[in-house]
Structure formats: structure tokens, C-alpha cells
Amino acid sequence: MSKGTVLVVGSNAKRIEIQGGGTGPTGQYLNELVVPVMALLDAGYGIAFATPTGSKPFIDPVSDHAVHFDDDESAHRKAQQFFATHPSMNNVATLRSILDGGLDEYLGFFTPGGQAPVVDLMQDADLGKTLRHFHQSKKPTALLCHGPIATASAMSKAKEFRAALIAGDEPRAADAAKGWQYAGYRMTVYSASEEKPIEDNVLHGKMYFHMPEALTIAGATVETGPDFAPHVVEDRELITGQNPKSDHPIAAKLISAIERVAADNAKQELASATK
């Protein structure tokens, strides 16, 4: 029997804007999606998987290599098979349908990275409503690598915030971010120095903004660790991981947070029953 359901939200983006015009290829990182999902399933939780359009995310080919699984070819093949065939990865709902069905049943939230969330999720109104619910309810909310930028969707002016970042207008971006639910939170995200190899070798161009810069402008306290080393920051209900190497640690932190909240709720219910 499932302990309850965790909402996993993915992106549908396949291209990302680069400076000077045009776009470069992007998507979600395979390990960042499947490693936490498999850990949640192994811990006894069910998964509800949603994207803005209701179609499966595109896996960035850059991520589809054993190097992201500690050079373990068997683990890589297992991840590929899981993404291709497991029901949790193929029963994909729209974010709108998730909202329409109500959010109270979900114990926690997770969004993986790859650059894709920078394109759609950070300005998606349905995701914004979803994150505001999890924030108000103090439910564990985990986002990995580029995923933390999706918290911008909770802003009342998320689209304006992103447009101002692309325009290089920091004052306008800061103004659009006023009232952001996560202002003052400690968090981590993919660093500008980690981004450079992707810009040089995959995008062949520079992104309009980097994630630490954007979240700092919005009001977060961004803490990045050494490049390409596991790094997870937990502040209140928010759990953020810096990079692909943070896949296992963020899964462990999310599971621990969900179980801690469940234990606290059980204690409160017992105390109320014995009064």
C-alpha cells in the first residue's frame, strides 16, 4: 500500500533562447528525473507526473550517458528503461488537470532540471498556483539543478520577471518579483561556472541570464558549492539541489522531509484525540 502521493512536474521545452537570436537544444536531465522518482517509489510513495501540455518531457541527449550515473552502464540502462516503460513516467497529466483535481492529497513536490524549466516552468501560471499551495501548506518542495528557477512561477508577475531578465533590466525584474513567496529563502541552483561548458559546447551561445543571478534578483539567498559536486540546501519546506550530482542527496532529503511531516501530523492527531 502506498504511503501517499508525490507530485512530480516536468517541462516540455526542447529549445532555449540564446543571446544574439536563435535557440539551442535543451530538455530535462535523465538522472535528475528518474533517480529521485525511483527513490520515492522504493520508499513506498506513489507518483503523479504532470507537465504543462500533458506530454512526456524531452530528455536532453547530453544527459543520456553513463557519466551521470557514476559511469555505471547498468544503472544508466536501468534509468533508460524506467523512463521508457514505467507507468509513473508514461501516465502524464496536464498541470491544469492536477489543479482541477485538487492538491490536498499530495505529500510533496519535485521538479528536475536540465535547462528546460528555464523556458516554460518558470513562467507557467498553473505551476505558480501549485507552488503557492505547497508553500502555504508547508509541504516539502524539492527542485534540482535548473529546477529551482521554476519557483519564479509563484510570482504574480512571473512572465514579466522572465522578460525583464532577458532584456537585462535588473530593476524591472526586481520590481516584477515583489511579493515572491520564496524571497529570503536560502537555496542553491546550477551555477554560472557550471553553465559555461554547456554554453560553449552544446548551446554554442550564451544564455540571457544565469540561475543564481536571477534568483538573487528575486530575493533569494543563493548558496552554491563546488562545481559538479553534490550540494543540497534545505530551508523550511524548500529543498534545492545544485547540479546532476545532487540527484541522490536531494531524493534522500525529500523523503526524509515527507516522513518528518507525516510523523509530526500523526503526533498532532494523537494529541488532539487524547484531549
Side-chain angles (χ1 to χ4, degrees):
M1 182 180 294
S2 171
K3 296 179 181 178
T5 305
V6 175
L7 177 60
V8 177
V9 174
S11 166
N12 292 122
K14 297 180 181 180
R15 309 287 300 182
I16 186 168
E17 307 97 328
I18 55 177
Q19 291 185 30
T23 62
T26 195
Q28 302 257 219
Y29 263 43
L30 178 64
N31 68 303
E32 295 181 17
L33 172 58
V34 303
V35 167
V37 168
M38 289 191 292
L40 286 162
L41 292 171
D42 288 345
Y45 295 97
I47 298 296
F49 192 23
T51 64
T53 69
S55 59
K56 287 181 73 170
F58 176 72
I59 296 298
D60 190 331
V62 172
S63 73
D64 198 2
H65 296 280
V67 67
H68 294 294
F69 298 87
D70 296 323
D71 291 317
D72 185 334
E73 292 286 357
S74 176
H76 178 215
R77 288 193 296 272
K78 181 179 179 182
Q80 290 175 314
Q81 184 74 3
F82 181 86
F83 181 74
T85 65
H86 196 276
S88 69
M89 295 286 92
N90 288 283
N91 297 329
V92 188
T94 63
L95 269 170
R96 170 49 53 184
S97 69
I98 293 290
L99 278 173
D100 289 345
L103 297 170
D104 289 340
E105 68 174 289
Y106 301 111
L107 303 178
F109 173 97
F110 174 67
T111 282
Q115 293 165 325
V118 183
V119 180
D120 57 357
L121 294 187
M122 73 174 290
Q123 56 180 338
D124 188 278
D126 290 335
L127 179 58
K129 292 177 183 177
T130 301
L131 286 175
R132 288 194 292 273
H133 166 87
F134 278 84
H135 172 72
Q136 292 163 3
S137 303
K138 298 181 174 61
K139 295 180 181 180
T141 304
L143 308 100
L144 178 58
C145 196
H146 290 78
I149 197 65
T151 57
S153 66
M155 298 174 185
S156 60
K157 296 181 178 179
K159 290 183 181 294
E160 291 90 336
F161 176 69
R162 186 176 188 273
L165 291 173
I166 289 174
D169 190 337
E170 291 189 16
R172 185 158 62 92
D175 186 66
K178 286 180 179 176
W180 185 43
Q181 290 74 6
Y182 300 101
Y185 273 66
R186 295 169 46 246
M187 61 179 74
T188 192
V189 71
Y190 203 61
S191 70
S193 52
E194 289 171 315
E195 201 82 71
K196 192 175 188 307
I198 301 296
E199 292 177 318
D200 291 347
N201 302 311
V202 179
L203 298 180
H204 303 292
K206 292 185 177 181
M207 296 172 64
Y208 278 100
F209 58 90
H210 292 134
M211 305 308 105
E213 164 197 15
L215 292 172
T216 298
I217 290 169
T221 299
V222 179
E223 304 171 0
T224 54
D227 286 359
F228 307 111
H231 182 58
V232 176
V233 172
E234 186 170 6
D235 186 358
R236 288 160 278 188
E237 84 279 5
L238 188 68
I239 306 165
T240 50
Q242 180 172 329
N243 48 39
K245 287 289 188 181
S246 305
D247 54 357
H248 288 283
I250 200 171
K253 286 279 190 182
L254 175 57
I255 291 166
S256 177
I258 291 171
E259 292 179 347
R260 184 171 63 248
V261 170
D264 289 345
N265 290 341
K267 288 179 183 177
Q268 291 175 9
E269 290 176 5
L270 180 60
S272 296
T274 56
K275 282 183 179 178

Short mmCIF file of all heavy atoms in Angstrom, two decimals, residues 203-236:
data_model
loop_
_atom_site.label_atom_id
_atom_site.label_comp_id
_atom_site.label_asym_id
_atom_site.label_seq_id
_atom_site.Cartn_x
_atom_site.Cartn_y
_atom_site.Cartn_z
N LEU A 203 25.06 24.71 -26.46
CA LEU A 203 24.25 25.82 -26.98
C LEU A 203 24.99 26.61 -28.05
O LEU A 203 24.35 27.21 -28.93
CB LEU A 203 23.84 26.76 -25.85
CG LEU A 203 22.98 26.17 -24.74
CD1 LEU A 203 22.68 27.24 -23.70
CD2 LEU A 203 21.70 25.58 -25.29
N HIS A 204 26.32 26.65 -27.94
CA HIS A 204 27.15 27.47 -28.84
C HIS A 204 26.69 28.93 -28.82
O HIS A 204 26.57 29.60 -29.83
CB HIS A 204 27.13 26.91 -30.27
CG HIS A 204 27.60 25.49 -30.33
ND1 HIS A 204 28.89 25.11 -30.08
CD2 HIS A 204 26.91 24.33 -30.58
CE1 HIS A 204 29.01 23.80 -30.19
NE2 HIS A 204 27.82 23.31 -30.48
N GLY A 205 26.41 29.37 -27.62
CA GLY A 205 25.98 30.73 -27.38
C GLY A 205 25.72 30.91 -25.90
O GLY A 205 25.68 29.95 -25.13
N LYS A 206 25.55 32.16 -25.48
CA LYS A 206 25.32 32.46 -24.07
C LYS A 206 23.84 32.59 -23.77
O LYS A 206 23.09 33.15 -24.56
CB LYS A 206 26.05 33.75 -23.67
CG LYS A 206 27.56 33.64 -23.70
CD LYS A 206 28.20 34.92 -23.18
CE LYS A 206 29.72 34.78 -23.14
NZ LYS A 206 30.37 36.01 -22.60
N MET A 207 23.45 32.08 -22.62
CA MET A 207 22.08 32.27 -22.16
C MET A 207 21.86 33.74 -21.78
O MET A 207 22.82 34.47 -21.50
CB MET A 207 21.80 31.36 -20.96
CG MET A 207 21.87 29.89 -21.29
SD MET A 207 21.76 28.84 -19.83
CE MET A 207 20.12 29.23 -19.24
N TYR A 208 20.62 34.15 -21.77
CA TYR A 208 20.33 35.55 -21.44
C TYR A 208 20.53 35.85 -19.96
O TYR A 208 20.79 36.99 -19.58
CB TYR A 208 18.89 35.89 -21.84
CG TYR A 208 18.77 36.23 -23.31
CD1 TYR A 208 18.31 35.29 -24.23
CD2 TYR A 208 19.13 37.50 -23.78
CE1 TYR A 208 18.20 35.60 -25.57
CE2 TYR A 208 19.02 37.82 -25.12
CZ TYR A 208 18.56 36.87 -26.02
OH TYR A 208 18.47 37.18 -27.35
N PHE A 209 20.41 34.85 -19.12
CA PHE A 209 20.66 35.05 -17.70
C PHE A 209 21.04 33.72 -17.08
O PHE A 209 20.70 32.65 -17.59
CB PHE A 209 19.44 35.64 -16.98
CG PHE A 209 18.18 34.81 -17.12
CD1 PHE A 209 17.87 33.82 -16.20
CD2 PHE A 209 17.29 35.02 -18.17
CE1 PHE A 209 16.71 33.06 -16.32
CE2 PHE A 209 16.12 34.27 -18.30
CZ PHE A 209 15.84 33.29 -17.37
N HIS A 210 21.77 33.80 -15.97
CA HIS A 210 22.15 32.61 -15.23
C HIS A 210 21.28 32.48 -13.99
O HIS A 210 20.73 33.46 -13.48
CB HIS A 210 23.63 32.64 -14.87
CG HIS A 210 24.52 32.52 -16.06
ND1 HIS A 210 25.61 33.33 -16.26
CD2 HIS A 210 24.48 31.69 -17.14
CE1 HIS A 210 26.21 33.01 -17.39
NE2 HIS A 210 25.53 32.02 -17.95
N MET A 211 21.17 31.26 -13.49
CA MET A 211 20.19 30.97 -12.44
C MET A 211 20.50 31.66 -11.11
O MET A 211 19.59 32.25 -10.50
CB MET A 211 20.07 29.45 -12.23
CG MET A 211 19.73 28.65 -13.50
SD MET A 211 18.29 29.28 -14.39
CE MET A 211 19.08 30.10 -15.79
N PRO A 212 21.75 31.64 -10.61
CA PRO A 212 22.00 32.33 -9.33
C PRO A 212 21.68 33.82 -9.40
O PRO A 212 21.12 34.40 -8.45
CB PRO A 212 23.50 32.09 -9.09
CG PRO A 212 23.82 30.86 -9.87
CD PRO A 212 22.96 30.94 -11.09
N GLU A 213 22.04 34.43 -10.51
CA GLU A 213 21.77 35.86 -10.72
C GLU A 213 20.27 36.13 -10.66
O GLU A 213 19.80 37.05 -9.97
CB GLU A 213 22.34 36.26 -12.08
CG GLU A 213 21.85 37.56 -12.65
CD GLU A 213 22.14 37.70 -14.14
OE1 GLU A 213 22.46 36.70 -14.81
OE2 GLU A 213 22.02 38.83 -14.63
N ALA A 214 19.48 35.32 -11.37
CA ALA A 214 18.04 35.53 -11.43
C ALA A 214 17.39 35.37 -10.06
O ALA A 214 16.55 36.19 -9.65
CB ALA A 214 17.41 34.56 -12.43
N LEU A 215 17.77 34.31 -9.35
CA LEU A 215 17.15 34.06 -8.04
C LEU A 215 17.58 35.10 -7.01
O LEU A 215 16.81 35.46 -6.12
CB LEU A 215 17.49 32.65 -7.56
CG LEU A 215 16.84 31.52 -8.38
CD1 LEU A 215 17.38 30.17 -7.96
CD2 LEU A 215 15.31 31.55 -8.24
N THR A 216 18.81 35.60 -7.13
CA THR A 216 19.27 36.65 -6.22
C THR A 216 18.50 37.94 -6.47
O THR A 216 18.08 38.62 -5.52
CB THR A 216 20.78 36.89 -6.41
OG1 THR A 216 21.49 35.69 -6.08
CG2 THR A 216 21.26 38.02 -5.52
N ILE A 217 18.30 38.30 -7.72
CA ILE A 217 17.50 39.48 -8.06
C ILE A 217 16.09 39.35 -7.48
O ILE A 217 15.51 40.33 -6.99
CB ILE A 217 17.43 39.68 -9.59
CG1 ILE A 217 18.80 40.09 -10.13
CG2 ILE A 217 16.37 40.71 -9.98
CD1 ILE A 217 18.90 40.06 -11.64
N ALA A 218 15.56 38.14 -7.49
CA ALA A 218 14.21 37.90 -6.99
C ALA A 218 14.13 38.01 -5.47
O ALA A 218 13.04 38.20 -4.91
CB ALA A 218 13.72 36.53 -7.44
N GLY A 219 15.27 37.86 -4.79
CA GLY A 219 15.26 38.00 -3.34
C GLY A 219 15.70 36.78 -2.57
O GLY A 219 15.65 36.77 -1.34
N ALA A 220 16.17 35.73 -3.27
CA ALA A 220 16.66 34.54 -2.59
C ALA A 220 18.09 34.75 -2.11
O ALA A 220 18.82 35.59 -2.63
CB ALA A 220 16.60 33.34 -3.52
N THR A 221 18.49 33.97 -1.13
CA THR A 221 19.88 33.90 -0.71
C THR A 221 20.47 32.64 -1.34
O THR A 221 20.18 31.53 -0.89
CB THR A 221 20.00 33.83 0.82
OG1 THR A 221 19.43 35.02 1.39
CG2 THR A 221 21.45 33.72 1.25
N VAL A 222 21.24 32.82 -2.39
CA VAL A 222 21.72 31.69 -3.17
C VAL A 222 23.08 31.23 -2.66
O VAL A 222 24.01 32.03 -2.51
CB VAL A 222 21.81 32.05 -4.67
CG1 VAL A 222 22.34 30.89 -5.48
CG2 VAL A 222 20.44 32.47 -5.18
N GLU A 223 23.19 29.93 -2.41
CA GLU A 223 24.42 29.34 -1.90
C GLU A 223 24.85 28.22 -2.85
O GLU A 223 24.21 27.18 -2.90
CB GLU A 223 24.20 28.77 -0.49
CG GLU A 223 23.66 29.79 0.50
CD GLU A 223 23.25 29.16 1.82
OE1 GLU A 223 23.38 27.92 1.96
OE2 GLU A 223 22.80 29.90 2.71
N THR A 224 25.92 28.43 -3.60
CA THR A 224 26.41 27.38 -4.49
C THR A 224 27.70 26.80 -3.93
O THR A 224 28.53 27.52 -3.36
CB THR A 224 26.66 27.92 -5.91
OG1 THR A 224 27.52 29.05 -5.85
CG2 THR A 224 25.35 28.31 -6.57
N GLY A 225 27.86 25.50 -4.11
CA GLY A 225 29.06 24.82 -3.66
C GLY A 225 30.03 24.63 -4.81
O GLY A 225 29.87 25.23 -5.88
N PRO A 226 31.03 23.77 -4.63
CA PRO A 226 31.99 23.50 -5.71
C PRO A 226 31.28 22.95 -6.95
O PRO A 226 30.30 22.23 -6.85
CB PRO A 226 32.93 22.45 -5.10
CG PRO A 226 32.81 22.65 -3.62
CD PRO A 226 31.39 23.05 -3.39
N ASP A 227 31.81 23.31 -8.11
CA ASP A 227 31.20 22.87 -9.36
C ASP A 227 31.14 21.35 -9.45
O ASP A 227 32.11 20.65 -9.13
CB ASP A 227 32.00 23.40 -10.55
CG ASP A 227 31.78 24.88 -10.79
OD1 ASP A 227 31.00 25.49 -10.05
OD2 ASP A 227 32.41 25.43 -11.73
N PHE A 228 29.99 20.87 -9.89
CA PHE A 228 29.77 19.46 -10.20
C PHE A 228 30.04 18.53 -9.02
O PHE A 228 30.45 17.39 -9.19
CB PHE A 228 30.60 19.04 -11.43
CG PHE A 228 30.37 19.93 -12.62
CD1 PHE A 228 31.37 20.78 -13.08
CD2 PHE A 228 29.14 19.96 -13.25
CE1 PHE A 228 31.15 21.63 -14.15
CE2 PHE A 228 28.90 20.81 -14.34
CZ PHE A 228 29.91 21.63 -14.79
N ALA A 229 29.80 19.04 -7.82
CA ALA A 229 29.86 18.24 -6.61
C ALA A 229 28.48 18.29 -5.94
O ALA A 229 27.78 19.30 -6.04
CB ALA A 229 30.92 18.77 -5.65
N PRO A 230 28.05 17.22 -5.29
CA PRO A 230 26.73 17.23 -4.66
C PRO A 230 26.58 18.37 -3.68
O PRO A 230 27.48 18.64 -2.87
CB PRO A 230 26.68 15.87 -3.94
CG PRO A 230 27.67 15.02 -4.66
CD PRO A 230 28.76 15.95 -5.09
N HIS A 231 25.45 19.06 -3.76
CA HIS A 231 25.19 20.17 -2.84
C HIS A 231 23.68 20.37 -2.75
O HIS A 231 23.01 20.59 -3.76
CB HIS A 231 25.85 21.45 -3.34
CG HIS A 231 25.67 22.63 -2.42
ND1 HIS A 231 26.09 22.62 -1.11
CD2 HIS A 231 25.11 23.85 -2.62
CE1 HIS A 231 25.82 23.79 -0.55
NE2 HIS A 231 25.22 24.55 -1.44
N VAL A 232 23.15 20.25 -1.54
CA VAL A 232 21.71 20.41 -1.30
C VAL A 232 21.51 21.39 -0.16
O VAL A 232 22.23 21.35 0.84
CB VAL A 232 21.04 19.06 -0.95
CG1 VAL A 232 19.57 19.25 -0.61
CG2 VAL A 232 21.19 18.08 -2.12
N VAL A 233 20.56 22.29 -0.33
CA VAL A 233 20.22 23.28 0.70
C VAL A 233 18.75 23.08 1.08
O VAL A 233 17.88 22.99 0.22
CB VAL A 233 20.43 24.71 0.18
CG1 VAL A 233 19.90 25.73 1.19
CG2 VAL A 233 21.92 24.96 -0.09
N GLU A 234 18.49 23.02 2.37
CA GLU A 234 17.12 22.88 2.88
C GLU A 234 16.79 24.08 3.76
O GLU A 234 17.52 24.37 4.72
CB GLU A 234 16.98 21.58 3.66
CG GLU A 234 15.57 21.27 4.09
CD GLU A 234 15.40 19.86 4.65
OE1 GLU A 234 16.42 19.16 4.81
OE2 GLU A 234 14.25 19.47 4.94
N ASP A 235 15.72 24.78 3.44
CA ASP A 235 15.27 25.92 4.23
C ASP A 235 13.76 25.85 4.32
O ASP A 235 13.06 25.99 3.31
CB ASP A 235 15.72 27.23 3.58
CG ASP A 235 15.39 28.46 4.43
OD1 ASP A 235 14.79 28.29 5.51
OD2 ASP A 235 15.73 29.58 4.01
N ARG A 236 13.27 25.62 5.53
CA ARG A 236 11.84 25.44 5.74
C ARG A 236 11.31 24.30 4.85
O ARG A 236 11.88 23.22 4.88
CB ARG A 236 11.10 26.76 5.53
CG ARG A 236 11.36 27.77 6.67
CD ARG A 236 11.08 29.20 6.29
NE ARG A 236 12.20 29.80 5.56
CZ ARG A 236 12.28 31.07 5.24
NH1 ARG A 236 11.28 31.89 5.56
NH2 ARG A 236 13.34 31.55 4.61
#
